Amino acid sequence: MPYSEAQAPTSAGEQERRDGTKPGNRFLGRVVACSGSRATIAAVAEKGETSLTELWSVGRLISISVGTNRVVALVCSMQTAAEEWSEETNNTVRIEVELMGEVFIGPDGREDFSAGISRYPYLGAIAHRIRASDLSRIYDSKQADSCVIGKLTQDESLDATIHVPSMLAKHFAIVGTTGVGKSTAVTLLLNKAIAADPKLRVLILDPHNEFAAAFPESAVVIETDTLDLPFWLFRLEEFAEVIFRGRPPVAEELDILRDVIPDAKKAFKGGESGLMRRQTEKSSITADTPVPYRIADLLAMIDERIGRLEGRTDKPHLRSLKVKIVSAINDPRYHFMFSSNTITDTIQDTIAKIFRIPGEGKPIATFELAGIPSEVVNSVASVLCRMAFEIGLWSNGGIHMLVVCEEAHRYVPADPSLGFLPTRQAIARIAKEGRKYGVSLGIITQRPGELDPTILSQCSTVFAMRLANDRDQEIIRSAISNSSISTTSFISSIGNGEAIAFGEAVAVPMRMRFSRVEEARLPRAHGIIDKVDEDAPPVVDLRSIVSRMRAMNGPDISGFQQSYLAAQSAPVASDGEIEDEAADAAFSDPGGFPKPALESYRPDMLPRTTEPVNPQLDRFNQIREQILSGQAERDAARTLQPPAPPERGFTGAATEPHRPGSLRESLLKRPLGSIIRK
């Protein structure tokens, strides 16, 4: 209805609206009640007609005329006055609306939208269909660099726009149950974000290996077969999570690691000059410092502690710790941590590959976590999130990082006793401080009720898709301001691809539908919904499946322990240095990878102690050798003599043949004085 008709005199306006030739003007409402945030509208559906009742459907915006302003309201509930519907007579309906804001005329004469209300509706004020121009003003973010992500549900002709810098600056979250299109929405938003910010680098923690198909040109795929994440990048707690396979670490063994890891890191730098070594010793090299070291040095230091005479109570813990470390090294699933490529100082190459610096036209890295053992996924996520924050912190704004956590409730659960504390701390640090250093966080989860509420509260822009769980719906309602609380009243029944967007990136909460993504760029995992050729028989290679189950598809590093033992038993030179060949064999990779050039061991790199001197033990060994050698000579002389005829005893049985005596028998046959004199 034209706005001028609503401003006509009451009698003439009523007669005009009742004119049967203008059906578009018949279904108007009047305000019959109003409070600070809500209003009640009464309307009449003439003779049971329903062609225009869609105006009052839940979730739609309407307009209430108040002078020169138009108050915008959202329909949140409706009912008939008689609780029944008549086909022959008029039906009176009552509509509950929530006041959202108003369209007003500014000092410059232009119409604009404000979330506040300067003049509330009066009783009898006319409510009518909202104008398309008013809808565009309401959802206009008033930012020059806004981008279109879909269409408004109420009016498909209007674009749904968001302000990407505001979304990234204060983090965002996408919540929704399984199958509603969260991954597709993430794909759309990331493409818009990359186009808006050329300095942006995106790291996707992909637990289902589905985003590789979504970014074929702009992303690199990092999987376990192509990943080199050195173990020395892990902090102490993260490394302990790997060694203890996700179980709580033993306190005594953790203390041992805290002591020996800094020594192993200093041993790796043993080739430095004396001045440099003194400066290194003065510097604070701890178990958390990202400095390379060798596992062989770590095991050698543990062996050295086991060989000490003192500290017998610690030896069981030392042996147990050594077994755990060797077991982790020999596990082919951990090849991405303990391969030959992770021994040298490759931190720059690792950062450049994972965090796309400079990027080479591919600013997105999809980190596929499905192939990583479940007991170390948390520690790997902790390392990546922590390094992402530090890169943003120390790059002085040169790089903008976005960390997207798919299935975020795994890493930051609501229960503080669950999950991995360093991962929770790394993600929480990005959520609380990341915006100051250009580090953004994207949370995607299907169970917001199981997500840490502190993390969710830091996400200033939320895209709420369909949620069926009451607890999850309550979490989202608590995140929306009271003036828009009814926006989520229908969140359990919206369609796939639809969402209710609210927060910093949008002017007012809006119900919108995401734009469709090309079929070839949809996130896709190998699930049961994949299209199958029914004519072709299923072809499954069981051998490849079994090899993957046994984690044997990667290079075999099970010979690490044998090569290490060979290096330990190798001849020692006069200066106490292990032979170079044995040291190189300890780090050879039988998988066929090129072996990096490693510096050979030196005495200052691999601490080694001399064997303890025990004069009494040496004297005992000499006596034992003399006795055994004398006994051997007598046995040899006895064998040269002709055998004597067997003697018959009382029973007539032959006596047993003579057997060489043991050390104990030899000592008993010799006089005690001769032993003492010797």
Side-chain angles (χ1 to χ4, degrees):
M1 178 194 69
Y3 178 68
S4 59
E5 295 178 359
Q7 302 301 322
T10 304
S11 57
E14 290 292 342
Q15 294 295 329
E16 193 172 19
R17 285 190 294 273
R18 299 300 181 188
D19 189 355
T21 61
K22 297 181 179 180
N25 298 332
R26 290 183 301 171
F27 202 66
L28 296 176
R30 298 277 186 171
V31 175
V32 296
C34 183
S35 63
S37 60
R38 288 177 175 264
T40 303
I41 298 173
V44 176
E46 296 179 348
K47 297 181 179 180
E49 187 175 350
T50 60
S51 59
L52 296 176
T53 53
E54 64 174 355
L55 171 65
W56 310 112
S57 59
V58 173
R60 297 183 69 88
L61 293 179
I62 64 169
S63 181
I64 304 174
S65 300
V66 183
T68 58
N69 297 347
R70 296 182 293 279
V71 175
V72 179
L74 175 69
V75 178
C76 52
S77 68
M78 55 185 178
Q79 63 180 357
T80 59
E83 298 184 357
E84 61 182 12
W85 189 264
S86 174
E87 298 292 344
E88 302 296 334
T89 60
N90 295 343
N91 295 281
T92 303
V93 295
R94 289 182 175 272
I95 301 98
E96 295 289 336
V97 297
E98 187 176 273
L99 305 182
M100 304 285 294
E102 66 179 359
V103 177
F104 65 97
I105 300 176
D108 56 353
R110 298 179 56 184
E111 293 185 339
D112 200 359
F113 173 78
S114 172
I117 299 176
S118 60
R119 298 180 60 185
Y120 279 86
Y122 52 86
L123 294 180
I126 297 176
H128 52 87
R129 187 188 304 273
I130 194 170
R131 300 178 181 180
S133 58
D134 287 348
L135 278 177
S136 62
R137 293 187 185 96
I138 292 169
Y139 295 116
D140 184 11
S141 61
K142 301 178 180 62
Q143 302 287 345
D145 48 356
S146 299
C147 62
V148 178
I149 61 171
K151 298 291 184 179
L152 295 180
T153 302
Q154 179 166 344
D155 191 343
E156 293 286 344
S157 64
L158 296 179
D159 294 331
T161 61
I162 61 170
H163 187 231
V164 174
S166 298
M167 181 187 73
L168 296 179
K170 298 182 180 180
H171 320 304
F172 68 95
I174 301 177
V175 299
T177 189
T178 304
V180 297
K182 295 190 303 296
S183 300
T184 305
V186 172
T187 303
L188 179 65
L189 292 177
L190 291 185
N191 284 323
K192 298 295 183 180
I194 293 172
D197 187 359
K199 297 168 62 176
L200 185 65
R201 298 294 181 267
V202 182
L203 174 64
I204 305 176
L205 301 182
D206 187 6
H208 304 303
N209 296 1
E210 60 181 351
F211 283 102
F215 307 100
E217 291 89 10
S218 58
V220 296
V221 180
I222 302 175
E223 54 185 358
T224 54
D225 295 340
T226 60
L227 171 64
D228 289 323
L229 189 64
F231 59 89
W232 45 265
L233 282 179
F234 289 58
R235 288 188 173 180
L236 178 62
E237 292 179 341
E238 298 162 350
F239 186 70
E241 180 80 0
V242 177
I243 296 301
F244 292 92
R245 307 296 180 97
R247 295 186 295 270
V250 181
E252 292 80 3
E253 298 178 17
L254 190 63
D255 291 340
I256 295 171
L257 281 177
R258 186 178 288 108
D259 292 339
V260 298
I261 288 180
D263 295 336
K265 292 179 178 180
K266 294 175 183 178
F268 184 83
K269 292 191 173 183
E272 297 174 350
S273 62
L275 177 61
M276 291 294 294
R277 191 179 303 114
R278 286 193 297 270
Q279 293 177 353
T280 302
E281 292 175 356
K282 291 180 182 179
S283 64
S284 56
I285 294 183
T286 65
D288 296 336
T289 307
V291 176
Y293 66 95
R294 297 188 178 98
I295 290 293
D297 295 344
L298 191 68
L299 294 175
M301 293 175 184
I302 294 176
D303 287 339
E304 187 260 338
R305 291 195 174 201
I306 294 176
R308 292 178 183 175
L309 295 179
E310 69 275 6
R312 295 184 178 180
T313 57
D314 295 335
K315 290 186 178 181
H317 298 295
L318 289 166
R319 294 190 180 94
S320 175
L321 178 61
K322 181 180 177 181
V323 169
K324 290 184 177 69
I325 295 176
V326 173
S327 175
I329 294 171
N330 291 336
D331 194 336
R333 300 178 302 165
Y334 296 169
H335 182 263
F336 68 94
M337 293 178 55
F338 298 106
S339 68
S340 60
N341 298 332
T342 61
I343 300 172
T344 55
D345 191 354
T346 58
I347 185 170
Q348 293 187 5
D349 297 336
T350 301
I351 292 177
K353 180 178 181 180
I354 296 178
F355 298 99
R356 311 309 305 150
I357 302 173
E360 300 176 353
K362 294 187 176 182
I364 301 177
T366 60
F367 202 102
E368 296 188 343
L369 299 175
I372 297 179
S374 58
E375 59 266 21
V376 299
V377 167
N378 284 331
S379 59
V380 171
S382 175
V383 173
L384 297 177
C385 294
R386 174 173 52 81
M387 292 179 63
F389 181 84
E390 293 176 353
I391 290 173
L393 174 64
W394 300 116
S395 65
N396 297 324
I399 294 294
H400 294 167
M401 292 297 306
L402 171 60
V403 180
V404 179
C405 295
E406 176 79 31
E407 304 291 350
H409 57 273
R410 295 183 178 184
Y411 313 116
V412 279
D415 188 353
S417 62
L418 301 177
F420 185 45
L421 181 59
T423 307
R424 180 191 297 270
Q425 292 174 340
I427 295 179
R429 191 179 185 190
I430 295 177
K432 296 177 181 178
E433 307 175 25
R435 61 184 181 85
K436 302 176 182 178
Y437 309 106
V439 185
S440 306
L441 180 66
I443 296 294
I444 297 94
T445 179
Q446 58 183 335
R447 291 303 310 273
E450 296 181 1
L451 185 69
D452 187 356
T454 304
I455 303 297
L456 188 60
S457 65
Q458 297 293 331
C459 297
S460 298
T461 303
V462 178
F463 299 90
M465 308 184 80
R466 186 170 69 245
L467 289 169
N469 188 276
D470 294 338
R471 165 75 175 159
D472 298 336
Q473 297 177 24
E474 187 61 32
I475 293 293
I476 298 302
R477 291 192 185 101
S478 63
I480 302 180
S481 60
N482 291 332
S483 61
S484 306
I485 195 65
S486 64
T487 310
T488 59
S489 59
F490 45 88
I491 199 172
S492 61
S493 58
I494 58 178
N496 290 348
E498 279 191 275
I500 300 170
F502 59 92
E504 294 285 339
V506 295
V508 295
M510 65 178 177
R511 181 177 175 181
M512 46 82 63
R513 182 183 299 275
F514 286 104
S515 300
R516 296 189 62 85
V517 180
E518 298 178 14
E519 187 70 23
R521 298 178 180 271
L522 288 174
R524 185 180 296 106
H526 297 288
I528 60 175
I529 61 175
D530 290 344
K531 188 176 181 180
V532 180
D533 188 0
E534 298 180 356
D535 297 333
V539 179
V540 178
D541 188 358
L542 287 179
R543 288 177 296 179
S544 64
I545 294 176
V546 172
S547 64
R548 287 181 178 272
M549 292 172 59
R550 293 176 175 174
M552 296 176 62
N553 55 335
D556 184 15
I557 59 171
S558 59
F560 182 91
Q561 175 65 4
Q562 289 80 356
S563 59
Y564 168 73
L565 294 176
Q568 289 296 98
S569 60
V572 180
S574 59
D575 57 351
E577 180 179 340
I578 298 180
E579 295 294 335
D580 293 342
E581 293 80 6
D584 292 339
F587 295 104
S588 62
D589 189 357
F593 288 101
K595 184 173 62 176
L598 302 178
E599 39 184 325
S600 59
Y601 282 105
R602 290 177 298 279
D604 53 353
M605 290 181 62
L606 185 60
R608 184 177 296 277
T609 58
T610 58
E611 296 294 333
V613 180
N614 191 344
Q616 291 80 4
L617 181 60
D618 294 342
R619 181 61 178 165
F620 176 78
N621 291 332
Q622 294 177 4
I623 296 175
R624 180 175 181 274
E625 292 177 359
Q626 293 177 3
I627 294 174
L628 292 180
S629 61
Q631 183 66 33
E633 293 176 358
R634 288 192 297 274
D635 292 341
R638 191 176 291 111
T639 56
L640 295 176
Q641 298 178 359
E647 298 181 358
R648 298 285 179 178
F650 179 77
T651 59
T655 58
E656 296 181 358
H658 176 74
R659 293 178 298 178
S662 63
L663 175 62
R664 179 175 179 275
E665 294 177 354
S666 302
L667 290 176
L668 291 177
K669 291 179 181 180
R670 294 177 63 87
L672 183 61
S674 63
I675 299 178
I676 296 177
R677 285 194 300 273
K678 288 183 177 294

